[in-house]
Amino acid sequence: MLVPIRKYAGENTKELILSLWFLSMWYFIYFDGLQWTVQFALFNRLVTPTNMPVALLLLFSLIIIITKGGLNNNHVGITALILFLYLFIVNLLFVALNGNPDLSSHLLIANLVVVPAYYLLISVLLLSRWRISESVARKTIIFMGLIAILVACRQQLYGYSSEELKVLTTAHATNFNFYGSIRPASIFLIPGEYSIFVAFLFVFTLSYLMSHRQTLVTKSLLLIVLCGLVPAEYFAFARNGILLMILATVFTLLLHYKKPSKFMVWTPYVTFCLGLMVYSFAPFLSSLMHSDLRKVISDASMIMRYKELATYFGMIYNAGIIHVLFGMGLKQFIYLNNGVYIDNTYLYVLLQGGVVGLLLWATFMWRLWMFLYYHTAKAPSPLRVALLSVVATWPAVAFFISSLQYLIFIFLALAILNQQPVGSQIYRKFSLVQ
């Protein structure tokens, strides 16, 4: 499936095998709780953490992509490459100069290799001529989505298994008990990541429903799936997933019923402002809601986040101008020592690379958004629209999570972007090309 665009003539056996391998790598990274659970079930311990295999898989993918296809001049890819080099060099310098003997080796690998490696992979995907089969990606996502929902239902009905509890404890995921209710993590390490995946499945199903001419039976089944995903999202008890579902649904509906315009290009700024408002006024919004909904907004959770801001802004400010400009390297994992968890992507990036890194990251994300928006508009499909909706609304969700999930969604979007989707003529209204 990983074939240059100029040679693409349809799916064949080799393409199918390579697509499955590439997607297997993506699933290995994305569904992190699944492979941890398997290790505990087989060996009663964590044989190897996610970060080391991820680093090896990313390196292997980079070698294949670089050696089998030529590179082209892409300003977004170059920006991603610069961001990778910046984060890698800054982290390397902080490790060399200060050292972090209190951190375990897999956390060192996570920050020194894996975190910057995501940007490196995105850079190479943009600079190369490779892509994966969208049809294979679509079918496997549906299959994994079914597994994730079934596992989550079992966790909520019967509780976590002993292996799953060991996984959550090892991953420092202590928020799976939410006001006496079980928050399912499903096949993820963190319950919030499952909530985001459910929101993505909802938008994907909605996009598929609106973009194809199905029979009445098919439409009815899709509507049943949509109705089932709403309580699945609610009982995940995660504001980030609910916020993503609401905003991404609005964006998807706008794309379907209104022709894309230059105004819609500014969607990430709108969602950023909405996220900032929710972040700032969550305690007030909580007081207006029913007791069950109040749990989701969670006054106590927001107080923890405000403490998080005060703690780490004070830390980086008192560290001096060098750290303000260039960050504190591996210090974003300092919560392991002081108990204050970093659950904010903007704060995460600021601590990682300082003001310079945050500006470079924001520049990369804006250029990447423009690239995804215009290319999806030229050749849309349900999966592409769903991925674009997640990226468009992530600036709001980023206030409530520090996960790298958005990079994995972007990775998948870029990997399928170069294929002309089947049935794209159905999206005639969704086109910026006259």
Side-chain angles (χ1 to χ4, degrees):
M1 176 281 351
L2 288 172
V3 294
I5 302 173
R6 61 183 180 273
K7 294 182 180 179
Y8 179 72
E11 291 183 6
N12 51 41
T13 303
K14 180 180 177 181
E15 180 176 311
L16 178 62
I17 293 173
L18 288 175
S19 291
L20 290 173
W21 173 84
F22 204 71
L23 286 167
S24 297
M25 187 200 73
W26 184 75
Y27 294 141
F28 187 86
I29 300 171
Y30 185 58
F31 301 110
D32 43 12
L34 180 60
Q35 48 101 355
W36 277 41
T37 303
V38 170
Q39 291 186 53
F40 274 104
L42 294 177
F43 309 107
N44 199 33
R45 64 188 181 90
L46 188 63
V47 177
T48 175
T50 305
N51 300 317
M52 178 63 78
V54 166
L56 295 175
L57 286 169
L58 290 176
L59 179 61
F60 186 48
S61 300
L62 292 172
I63 293 174
I64 291 178
I65 294 173
I66 293 174
T67 56
K68 296 297 183 180
L71 297 180
N72 56 63
N73 185 16
N74 183 297
H75 64 92
V76 185
I78 294 173
T79 305
L81 184 60
I82 293 172
L83 180 59
F84 158 75
L85 292 173
Y86 173 82
L87 291 175
F88 184 80
I89 292 172
V90 166
N91 284 347
L92 190 63
L93 286 175
F94 278 118
V95 170
L97 296 176
N98 302 321
N100 284 274
D102 56 325
L103 296 179
S104 63
S105 60
H106 76 273
L107 288 181
L108 289 170
I109 295 172
N111 283 266
L112 190 59
V113 180
V114 176
V115 173
Y118 281 110
Y119 297 103
L120 177 60
L121 181 59
I122 288 174
S123 172
V124 175
L125 284 172
L126 284 163
L127 294 173
S128 68
R129 298 183 177 91
W130 295 87
R131 59 117 185 111
I132 70 171
S133 168
E134 182 171 346
S135 63
V136 176
R138 181 176 61 250
K139 293 171 184 176
T140 53
I141 286 174
I142 294 172
F143 175 73
M144 295 303 297
L146 180 61
I147 292 177
I149 295 296
L150 291 176
V151 172
C153 290
R154 192 263 302 160
Q155 290 174 348
Q156 286 193 308
L157 292 174
Y158 303 106
Y160 285 95
S161 67
S162 58
E163 289 80 11
E164 289 170 335
L165 287 174
K166 291 177 183 177
V167 167
L168 294 172
T169 303
T170 306
H172 303 281
T174 58
N175 58 346
F176 54 87
N177 190 325
F178 192 73
Y179 291 94
S181 301
I182 294 178
R183 297 179 68 184
S186 187
I187 51 179
F188 299 89
L189 287 180
I190 302 173
E193 293 180 349
Y194 163 71
S195 176
I196 289 173
F197 184 57
V198 172
F200 166 70
L201 291 176
F202 181 89
V203 177
F204 178 36
T205 306
L206 178 65
S207 179
Y208 196 90
L209 176 65
M210 295 190 303
S211 62
H212 285 70
R213 300 185 181 96
Q214 304 97 352
T215 64
L216 180 61
V217 174
T218 303
K219 288 183 178 180
S220 300
L221 289 175
L222 290 173
L223 286 173
I224 291 174
V225 172
L226 283 176
C227 293
L229 288 172
V230 172
E233 181 63 72
Y234 175 77
F235 288 110
F237 300 117
R239 76 169 60 79
N240 46 33
I242 294 175
L243 185 62
L244 178 62
M245 178 181 283
I246 294 172
L247 295 180
T249 298
V250 173
F251 183 75
T252 302
L253 292 173
L254 287 175
L255 286 179
H256 181 72
Y257 290 111
K258 291 181 67 67
K259 182 178 178 180
S261 62
K262 292 183 178 180
F263 173 77
M264 295 188 70
V265 172
W266 300 98
T267 299
Y269 284 100
V270 176
T271 56
F272 173 85
C273 293
L274 290 173
L276 182 60
M277 289 177 59
V278 173
Y279 188 86
S280 302
F281 299 105
F284 172 73
L285 295 174
S286 174
S287 65
L288 301 177
M289 293 185 175
H290 185 270
S291 58
D292 289 337
L293 289 174
R294 193 176 301 164
K295 290 181 181 179
V296 179
I297 297 296
S298 183
D299 239 0
S301 175
M302 289 309 303
I303 292 174
M304 178 272 292
R305 294 173 191 278
Y306 299 150
K307 178 185 177 182
E308 161 194 276
L309 279 179
T311 299
Y312 289 109
F313 269 127
M315 180 185 298
I316 195 170
Y317 177 79
N318 294 328
I321 188 63
I322 296 297
H323 288 290
V324 171
L325 291 176
F326 301 108
M328 306 186 73
L330 305 180
K331 291 294 184 181
Q332 71 268 32
F333 279 104
I334 198 72
Y335 75 87
L336 294 176
N337 298 324
N338 66 13
V340 181
Y341 186 79
I342 300 175
D343 211 11
N344 183 317
T345 299
Y346 303 107
L347 181 60
Y348 183 102
V349 176
L350 179 65
L351 289 168
Q352 175 86 4
V355 174
V356 174
L358 185 61
L359 292 175
L360 186 59
W361 175 79
T363 301
F364 159 70
M365 290 299 295
W366 173 250
R367 288 190 167 191
L368 183 65
W369 156 252
M370 295 287 287
F371 181 88
L372 291 173
Y373 179 77
Y374 282 111
H375 281 74
T376 302
K378 290 177 182 178
S381 71
L383 181 56
R384 295 185 186 195
V385 171
L387 290 168
L388 183 70
S389 298
V390 171
V391 177
T393 54
W394 193 265
V397 181
F399 283 99
F400 306 100
I401 195 168
S402 59
S403 170
L404 292 170
Q405 273 201 341
Y406 73 97
L407 291 178
I408 304 176
F409 278 118
I410 290 170
F411 160 55
L412 181 61
L414 292 173
I416 68 173
L417 198 58
N418 292 327
Q419 178 188 358
Q420 181 72 17
V422 177
S424 61
Q425 67 273 11
I426 298 174
Y427 273 91
R428 285 171 184 165
K429 291 198 301 181
F430 184 55
S431 176
L432 296 175
V433 182
Q434 302 298 321

